[in-house]
C-alpha cells in the first residue's frame, strides 16, 4: 500500500482557507484533517478533540521533549502544535492528511517532511482581504490592522510554498487544490517508480 501524502494549507486570516479545507474533506473519503493541540483555554463553543486538543502547559512541553510534534510554536504565550502520532498513522494507512496551519509551522513541516506539499491560499487583492475582514463584524479596527500587517508578512514568505491558489471563487479554489492533490499523486519518486516497475515485472 502506498503511503498517503501530507498537504499543508496556509494563508492570511480572511482568505477562506478553513472553508476550502472543509470542502476538501467533504469530497474525499481518504483525506484526514489533523487537529492541533494548544495550551490556551477553550473558547465558547469549542470542543476538545474537535476544534483542538486542549492540554496543560506541562503536558505540551513533555510532548515537545519526546519529539511528539510535527511542528509547534509559541504564539503570544500559548503553545500550538501538530501531534505527530496520529498524522503518521494516517499516512502509513495510505490516507492523505491535511494541515491548516500558519506559515511558520508550514516551514517547519517542510523541513521535517520534505515530501510534504505546501499550498498558499491568497485573497484576490489586499483590498478584498480588508473588505472580508471588516465584513465579518467580529474584529475591532485595531485587530484588523494587525491582521493586515500579518497578512503582508505571510505573503512575503510565499516562496517557501509549492503552490498558490487565489480564492476569488470558492468552487474554483477548491477545484484548484484538488488538481494539486491529483498531480502530486501522479508524481513519481524513486520509491514509487520502483514499486510500479516491480508490479509490472511480476506479471511477466
Amino acid at each position: 500500500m502506498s503511503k498517503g501524502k501530507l498537504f499543508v494549507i496556509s494563508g492570511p486570516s480572511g482568505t477562506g482557507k478553513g472553508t476550502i479545507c472543509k470542502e476538501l474533506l467533504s469530497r474525499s473519503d481518504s483525506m484526514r484533517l489533523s487537529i492541533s493541540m494548544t495550551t490556551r483555554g477553550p473558547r465558547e463553543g469549542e470542543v476538545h478533540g474537535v476544534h483542538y486538543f486542549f492540554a496543560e502547559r506541562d503536558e505540551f512541553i513533555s510532548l515537545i521533549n519526546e519529539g511528539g510534534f510535527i511542528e509547534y510554536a509559541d504564539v503570544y504565550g500559548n503553545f500550538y502544535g501538530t501531534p505527530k502520532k496520529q498524522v503518521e498513522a494516517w499516512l502509513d494507512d495510505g490516507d492523505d492528511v491535511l494541515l491548516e496551519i500558519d506559515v511558520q509551522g508550514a516551514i517547519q513541516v517542510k523541513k521535517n517532511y520534505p515530501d510534504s506539499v505546501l499550498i498558499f491560499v491568497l485573497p484576490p487583492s489586499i483590498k478584498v482581504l480588508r473588505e472580508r475582514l471588516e465584513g465579518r463584524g467580529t474584529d475591532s479596527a485595531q485587530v484588523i490592522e494587525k491582521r493586515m500587517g500579518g497578512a503582508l508578512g505571510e505573503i512575503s514568505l510565499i516562496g517557501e510554498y509549492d503552490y498558490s491558489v487565489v480564492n476569488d471563487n470558492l468552487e474554483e479554489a477548491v477545484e484548484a487544490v484538488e488538481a494539486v492533490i491529483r498531480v502530486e499523486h501522479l508524481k513519481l519518486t524513486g520509491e514509487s517508480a520502483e514499486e510500479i516497475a516491480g508490479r509490472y515485472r511480476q506479471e511477466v
Side-chain angles (χ1 to χ4, degrees):
M1 177 189 295
S2 298
K3 286 191 65 171
K5 289 185 174 288
L6 187 57
F7 293 94
V8 178
I9 305 283
S10 302
S13 178
T15 55
K17 58 187 181 294
T19 304
I20 290 173
C21 288
K22 288 178 184 176
E23 282 295 314
L24 291 170
L25 291 165
S26 72
R27 300 180 186 196
S28 174
D29 294 327
S30 60
M31 177 166 282
R32 309 294 182 186
L33 178 66
S34 174
I35 300 172
S36 296
M37 180 178 286
T38 182
T39 57
R40 75 160 171 78
R43 295 170 182 157
E44 186 176 352
E46 289 183 334
V47 178
H48 178 77
V50 175
H51 299 95
Y52 285 96
F53 291 115
F54 297 101
E56 296 297 327
R57 192 175 184 87
D58 289 348
E59 179 186 354
F60 198 104
I61 291 173
S62 293
L63 270 176
I64 291 174
N65 294 334
E66 294 167 7
F69 289 102
I70 289 176
E71 57 80 31
Y72 69 91
D74 185 342
V75 182
Y76 304 119
N78 287 308
F79 281 116
Y80 293 81
T82 303
K84 181 186 292 185
K85 186 176 180 180
Q86 180 64 81
V87 169
E88 293 194 338
W90 281 331
L91 293 173
D92 288 340
D93 285 342
D95 290 334
D96 291 336
V97 179
L98 196 59
L99 305 185
E100 183 194 340
I101 56 177
D102 65 14
V103 173
Q104 297 300 332
I107 293 171
Q108 283 188 54
V109 171
K110 194 67 170 180
K111 181 179 178 181
N112 296 325
Y113 295 79
D115 292 336
S116 61
V117 181
L118 273 53
I119 304 169
F120 197 98
V121 179
L122 289 160
S125 67
I126 288 297
K127 179 183 177 182
V128 170
L129 181 63
R130 180 181 291 276
E131 289 172 352
R132 288 179 180 176
L133 291 174
E134 291 174 346
R136 287 176 172 179
T138 57
D139 295 325
S140 66
Q142 183 179 5
V143 169
I144 289 173
E145 289 306 317
K146 185 177 180 180
R147 291 190 186 281
M148 292 299 297
L152 293 173
E154 289 177 303
I155 292 170
S156 70
L157 295 172
I158 197 170
E160 302 289 338
Y161 282 68
D162 301 300
Y163 299 91
S164 67
V165 171
V166 176
N167 186 13
D168 191 10
N169 175 281
L170 176 61
E171 181 62 26
E172 291 177 0
V174 172
E175 289 177 355
V177 177
E178 287 179 323
V180 168
I181 293 170
R182 286 195 297 272
V183 166
E184 285 296 324
H185 277 286
L186 294 172
K187 187 181 289 184
L188 289 171
T189 64
E191 183 179 345
S192 66
E194 179 56 34
E195 179 186 341
I196 292 169
R199 288 205 307 267
Y200 279 85
R201 284 196 297 266
Q202 288 175 2
E203 297 179 7
V204 177

